[in-house]
């Protein structure tokens, strides 16, 4: 079996996460003995719709290094895989945009915005972190009963970040009772992952699990993503 993964974002060989992601996929694929092919797809390609591009893929990873060239393109791609039960992993910028897409298209909050792009946003769902996390490790608590906790087999992680913006905790209550839930928090009470509970696999993380591949390690969350993509 060959699994096809779309890497949605604007590829930059100088970005550490972009160097790590192919390695992370290869390590996970070897762990579970699957053949995986992947394609980098720039966000502007989705400006005219995601279905013609993503219908042939088993999974989509929305990658770090935002702002993207096309915000609307990224949101269109995420919406398509969410609505069509295609396995989704979003890390760093991908996580932020997964929250934004759900807020706009499910919660009906058309003015939900990313303050990195719109500093004067009326509803800054994605806002500056109180302390930027640039190539820093941080402790994360995984919520009891969360999917991410089940996949990682632990209630606690130490992961690496490279971000200055994140899901604004002032709006965390918007997800109360929703299918999209917060799955992890840091010690300061900031959300660090989200997960969709009526989907094959839909998880976004503020941290970058792909960094484990730079140390030769396999991250259980990435393995779980590849497994979900294989479940046709």
């Amino acid at each position: 079996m060959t699994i096809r993964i779309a890497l949605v974002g604007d590829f930059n060989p100088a970005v550490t996460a972009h160097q790590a992601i192919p390695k992370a996929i290869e390590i996970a694929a070897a762990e579970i003995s699957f053949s995986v092919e992947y394609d980098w797809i720039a966000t502007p390609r989705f400006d005219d719709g995601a279905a013609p591009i993503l219908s042939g893929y088993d999974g989509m990873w929305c990658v770090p290094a935002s702002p993207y060239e096309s915000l609307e393109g990224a949101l269109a791609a995420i919406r398509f895989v969410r609505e069509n039960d295609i396995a989704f992993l979003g890390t760093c910028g991908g996580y932020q945009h997964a929250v934004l897409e759900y807020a706009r298209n499910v919660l009906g909050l058309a003015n939900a915005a990313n303050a990195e792009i719109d500093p004067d946003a009326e509803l800054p769902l994605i806002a500056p972190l109180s302390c930027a996390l640039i190539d820093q490790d941080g402790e994360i608590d995984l919520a009891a009963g969360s999917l991410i906790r089940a996949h990682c087999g632990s209630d606690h992680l130490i992961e690496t970040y490279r971000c200055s913006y994140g899901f604004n905790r002032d709006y965390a209550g918007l997800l109360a009772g929703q299918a999209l839930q917060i799955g992890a928090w840091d010690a300061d009470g900031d959300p660090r992952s989200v997960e969709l509970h009526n989907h094959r696999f839909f998880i976004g993380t503020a941290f970058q699990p792909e960094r484990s591949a730079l140390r030769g390690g396999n991250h259980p969350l990435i393995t779980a993503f590849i497994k979900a993509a294989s479940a046709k």
Side-chain angles (χ1 to χ4, degrees):
M1 172 187 293
T2 298
I3 302 162
R4 299 190 68 217
I5 304 294
L7 302 180
V8 171
D10 308 309
F11 178 69
N12 181 343
V15 173
T16 301
H18 292 190
Q19 299 167 18
I21 285 171
K23 294 182 175 68
I25 290 174
E26 290 163 9
I27 291 171
E31 178 79 11
I32 54 180
S33 300
F34 285 140
S35 174
V36 179
E37 297 177 351
Y38 54 85
D39 297 308
W40 292 92
I41 308 176
T43 54
R45 287 190 55 195
F46 300 102
D47 286 346
D48 295 325
I53 302 170
L54 292 177
S55 295
Y57 288 92
D58 304 302
M60 171 185 145
W61 187 335
C62 194
V63 306
S66 59
Y68 299 124
E69 291 182 21
S70 173
L71 168 68
E72 297 303 327
L75 297 182
I78 294 169
R79 181 174 188 172
F80 180 80
V81 298
R82 178 180 58 78
E83 293 181 341
N84 289 276
D85 200 37
I86 296 171
F88 169 83
L89 179 63
T91 58
C92 198
Y95 151 79
Q96 297 170 17
H97 286 72
V99 174
L100 196 57
E101 188 279 323
Y102 191 88
R104 288 187 178 185
N105 297 316
V106 178
L107 302 183
L109 301 172
N111 60 343
N114 183 342
E116 189 171 11
I117 298 171
D118 183 3
D120 300 318
E122 181 182 3
L123 200 168
L125 198 63
I126 306 303
L129 299 177
S130 57
C131 181
L133 298 167
I134 306 301
D135 296 330
Q136 293 184 35
D137 290 346
E139 296 186 359
I140 302 159
D141 293 318
L142 309 186
S146 64
L147 299 174
I148 189 172
R149 182 168 175 170
H151 290 312
C152 292
S154 175
D155 59 1
H156 183 79
L157 298 173
I158 297 177
E159 297 284 351
T160 305
Y161 297 89
R162 185 177 179 82
C163 57
S164 300
Y165 287 77
F167 181 10
N168 188 341
R169 64 178 165 184
D170 292 343
Y171 297 107
L174 291 174
L175 298 185
Q178 296 295 322
L180 187 72
Q181 299 178 13
I182 297 170
W185 306 80
D186 70 5
D188 295 325
D190 286 317
R192 288 294 178 247
S193 79
V194 292
E195 55 191 47
L196 194 59
H197 281 244
N198 57 358
H199 197 277
R200 174 190 308 199
F201 187 100
F202 191 104
I203 291 180
T205 67
F207 57 89
Q208 297 183 349
E210 58 268 20
R211 296 281 187 124
S212 61
L214 300 178
R215 303 182 292 272
N218 180 38
H219 199 289
L221 192 59
I222 298 171
T223 301
F225 166 62
I226 298 297
K227 283 183 177 178
S230 73
K232 298 181 179 180

